[in-house]
C-alpha cells in the first residue's frame, strides 16, 4: 500500500490499520431512546418553523431569513438521520430504519433505497481513482484535466465553480435529478423513486392548499436552498481537502482511505449539533455502523482517531480553491498550480 498523507502519516502504518476498525466496534450499538430523542428534537422544531414562517410570511425579509436558515439547518440534521437509517445504524430495528429513512427521505426529496445503494458504493470506492463516479463530486487528476478538450475543461470549471456547486447544483440534484431513476436502476428502487415522487406531489398539493401555492413554493425553495447548499458544502469538505487520499485500484486501501481521505471537520458545538456529528467523517467512513450520536464519544476516548489533523471552519474556506488531484505532488491543487507549472516549463 502506498503511504499518502501529510496530515496523519502514523495512521497509515500497515500494522496499525486493522486495529483501528476494532477500536470503533464497541460504538456500533444503536440506542432507541437517543435515536427517538434526536428524531423529536429535529422534526418538531422543523415543522414548527414551517408554521412560524407561514404566519410571518408578510413580515420583512430579516424576519423570514433567520427562520429559513434554521429550517434549512434542521433539514440537514434530518438528512443525517436519513443517512444513518441508510447505513442501518440509527435504530436497532431494520424495519424502523426503513420507515424513518423513507419518511426523512421524502422530507429531503431523496428516494431512500436508491440513495442507500449509491451511497454504499461511495463508501466502498471513496478515494479510489479507478472507481470514481458514484455518489461523489466530479474530481479529475491534473493529467486528466490537461488532456480534456477546451469545452470539457469549461464544463469541469463550471461544475466545480462554488456558485454552481453550492447554489444551483444542490437545487438541481434534489429537486430535478433525484426525480428520475437511471437506466440501470433495480426494479424495486425504480418503484420507490416513483413512490417518492408521488408522495412529494401529494405534499405539494396539500401544502399549496394549506398555504397557497406561491407561499408553499417560496418557503420550500428557500429551505431547500439552505439545506442543499450546506449539505453539499459538508460533503465537499469531507473529501475535498489538500492532504487527501487518492490511489489507483491496486494500491487503494479501505481503512487508509477512511482515515486519510475523509476529514475531521472540527465545528463549533452548535454547528456540530445541526450537522449530526458528521464532521467526524474519518470515523464514519472507517465504520459506517456507528450511529451519528456515538461518533463524538468514539473520537473523544480514542487518541488514535485524534491524530487526524482537523479541518476547522476557517481553514475549510481554503478548500474552495482546490480543483484537481496532483498525482506528482500527491495533493489537491487549484488551477493556479497549473499556471505555475506551465511557467516553470516555459
Amino acid at each position: 500500500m502506498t503511504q499518502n498523507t501529510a496530515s496523519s502519516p502514523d495512521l497509515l502504518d500497515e500494522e496499525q490499520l486493522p486495529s483501528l476498525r476494532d477500536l470503533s466496534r464497541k460504538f456500533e450499538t444503536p440506542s432507541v431512546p437517543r435515536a427517538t430523542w434526536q428524531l423529536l428534537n429535529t422534526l418538531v422544531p422543523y415543522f414548527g418553523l414551517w408554521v412560524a414562517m407561514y404566519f410571518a410570511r408578510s413580515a420583512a425579509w430579516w424576519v423570514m431569513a433567520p427562520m429559513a436558515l434554521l429550517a434549512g439547518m434542521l433539514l440537514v440534521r434530518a438528512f443525517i438521520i436519513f443517512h444513518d437509517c441508510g447505513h442501518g445504524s440509527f435504530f436497532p430495528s431494520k424495519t424502523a430504519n426503513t420507515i424513518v429513512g423513507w419518511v426523512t427521505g421524502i422530507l429531503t426529496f431523496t428516494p431512500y433505497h436508491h440513495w442507500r445503494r449509491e451511497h454504499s458504493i461511495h463508501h466502498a470506492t471513496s478515494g479510489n481513482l479507478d472507481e470514481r463516479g458514484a455518489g461523489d463530486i466530479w474530481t479529475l487528476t491534473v493529467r486528466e484535466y490537461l488532456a480534456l478538450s477546451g469545452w470539457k475543461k469549461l464544463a469541469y470549471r463550471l461544475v466545480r465553480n462554488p456558485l454552481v456547486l453550492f447554489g444551483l447544483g444542490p437545487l438541481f440534484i434534489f429537486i430535478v435529478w433525484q426525480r428520475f431513476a437511471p437506466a440501470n436502476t433495480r426494479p424495486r428502487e425504480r418503484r420507490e423513486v416513483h413512490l417518492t415522487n408521488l408522495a412529494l406531489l401529494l405534499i405539494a398539493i396539500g401544502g399549496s392548499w394549506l398555504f397557497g401555492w406561491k407561499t408553499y413554493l417560496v418557503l420550500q425553495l428557500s429551505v431547500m436552498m439552505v439545506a442543499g447548499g450546506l449539505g453539499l458544502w459538508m460533503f465537499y469538505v469531507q473529501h475535498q481537502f489538500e492532504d487527501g487520499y487518492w490511489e489507483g485500484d491496486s494500491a487503494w486501501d479501505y481503512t487508509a482511505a477512511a482515515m486519510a481521505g475523509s476529514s475531521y471537520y472540527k465545528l463549533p458545538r452548535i454547528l456540530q449539533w445541526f450537522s449530526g456529528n458528521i464532521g467526524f467523517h474519518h470515523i464514519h467512513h472507517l465504520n459506517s455502523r456507528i450511529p451519528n450520536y456515538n461518533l463524538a464519544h468514539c473520537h473523544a476516548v480514542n487518541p488514535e482517531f485524534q491524530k487526524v489533523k482537523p479541518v476547522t471552519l476557517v481553514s475549510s474556506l481554503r478548500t474552495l480553491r482546490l480543483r484537481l488531484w496532483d498525482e506528482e505532488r500527491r495533493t489537491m491543487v487549484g488551477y493556479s498550480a497549473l499556471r505555475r507549472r506551465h511557467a516553470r516549463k516555459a
Side-chain angles (χ1 to χ4, degrees):
M1 182 189 68
T2 302
Q3 297 189 8
N4 160 51
T5 182
S7 61
S8 51
D10 294 337
L11 294 175
L12 295 183
D13 186 297
E14 289 185 354
E15 294 182 358
Q16 283 187 310
L17 288 177
S19 65
L20 293 176
R21 183 69 183 268
D22 293 335
L23 287 174
S24 70
R25 292 190 190 280
K26 63 181 178 181
F27 300 92
E28 292 179 358
T29 306
S31 164
V32 172
R34 294 191 70 183
T36 302
W37 172 237
Q38 188 173 75
L39 200 60
L40 290 173
N41 66 32
T42 301
L43 298 187
V44 171
Y46 175 71
F47 289 121
L49 279 167
W50 261 86
V51 173
M53 285 190 292
Y54 171 71
F55 285 109
R57 65 191 183 280
S58 59
W61 68 267
W62 51 268
V63 175
M64 291 291 293
M67 293 184 186
L69 176 62
L70 284 174
M73 294 170 73
L74 284 168
L75 193 57
V76 170
R77 185 168 164 86
F79 189 89
I80 300 303
I81 293 174
F82 162 84
H83 164 272
D84 273 17
C85 289
H87 283 295
S89 64
F90 192 65
F91 283 110
S93 164
K94 180 179 178 181
T95 300
N97 282 320
T98 299
I99 293 171
V100 173
W102 206 82
V103 171
T104 50
I106 291 172
L107 290 178
T108 56
F109 282 53
T110 307
Y112 175 68
H113 286 97
H114 177 60
W115 178 89
R116 185 177 67 174
R117 184 170 71 89
E118 283 213 336
H119 191 63
S120 68
I121 296 173
H122 162 69
H123 270 259
T125 60
S126 180
N128 190 326
L129 289 170
D130 297 317
E131 298 289 344
R132 286 166 288 173
D136 55 12
I137 292 173
W138 190 14
T139 305
L140 295 177
T141 68
V142 169
R143 291 194 192 99
E144 289 168 340
Y145 176 79
L146 292 176
L148 293 179
S149 66
W151 284 109
K152 288 185 177 180
K153 285 180 181 176
L154 177 61
Y156 186 76
R157 284 176 174 264
L158 283 174
V159 170
R160 300 279 306 200
N161 184 285
L163 292 178
V164 175
L165 196 57
F166 309 117
L168 297 176
L171 284 179
F172 176 76
I173 291 170
F174 287 101
I175 294 178
V176 179
W177 181 260
Q178 295 193 146
R179 307 283 67 78
F180 301 94
N184 62 344
T185 303
R186 298 170 181 173
R188 176 192 180 188
E189 294 169 6
R190 185 179 298 276
R191 287 194 299 270
E192 195 218 10
V193 170
H194 298 326
L195 285 173
T196 301
N197 292 344
L198 177 61
L200 290 173
L201 177 62
L202 293 175
I203 290 173
I205 292 172
S208 298
W209 178 72
L210 284 173
F211 305 132
W213 72 269
K214 290 183 180 179
T215 300
Y216 170 77
L217 192 62
V218 169
L219 294 182
Q220 185 69 76
L221 286 177
S222 299
V223 173
M224 288 298 293
M225 283 183 68
V226 173
L230 291 177
L232 250 301
W233 170 253
M234 290 295 298
F235 185 72
Y236 175 87
V237 173
Q238 287 158 3
H239 296 288
Q240 301 280 320
F241 53 99
E242 191 169 12
D243 298 319
Y245 175 96
W246 291 94
E247 290 284 3
D249 196 48
S250 61
W252 184 84
D253 179 86
Y254 180 89
T255 305
M259 298 304 293
S262 301
S263 66
Y264 163 35
Y265 196 14
K266 189 176 182 179
L267 294 169
R269 186 63 60 89
I270 184 64
L271 296 182
Q272 182 180 317
W273 186 89
F274 275 108
S275 61
N277 297 308
I278 202 63
F280 298 98
H281 212 60
H282 57 311
I283 300 176
H284 170 65
H285 261 259
L286 178 71
N287 187 349
S288 62
R289 298 292 300 178
I290 300 176
N292 76 81
Y293 44 78
N294 286 346
L295 287 172
H297 185 51
C298 179
H299 182 267
V301 301
N302 287 296
E304 292 82 358
F305 297 135
Q306 298 167 23
K307 293 178 183 179
V308 172
K309 180 181 177 182
V311 176
T312 66
L313 196 58
V314 173
S315 67
S316 68
L317 298 177
R318 294 196 289 271
T319 65
L320 287 170
R321 64 180 177 80
L322 303 177
R323 301 288 186 270
L324 303 160
W325 175 251
D326 189 325
E327 310 97 312
E328 295 180 4
R329 296 172 54 199
R330 305 191 63 74
T331 185
M332 289 290 292
V333 298
Y335 300 125
S336 59
L338 301 185
R339 291 192 291 270
R340 289 194 297 268
R341 178 183 296 186
H342 181 74
R344 286 197 302 269
K345 290 182 179 180

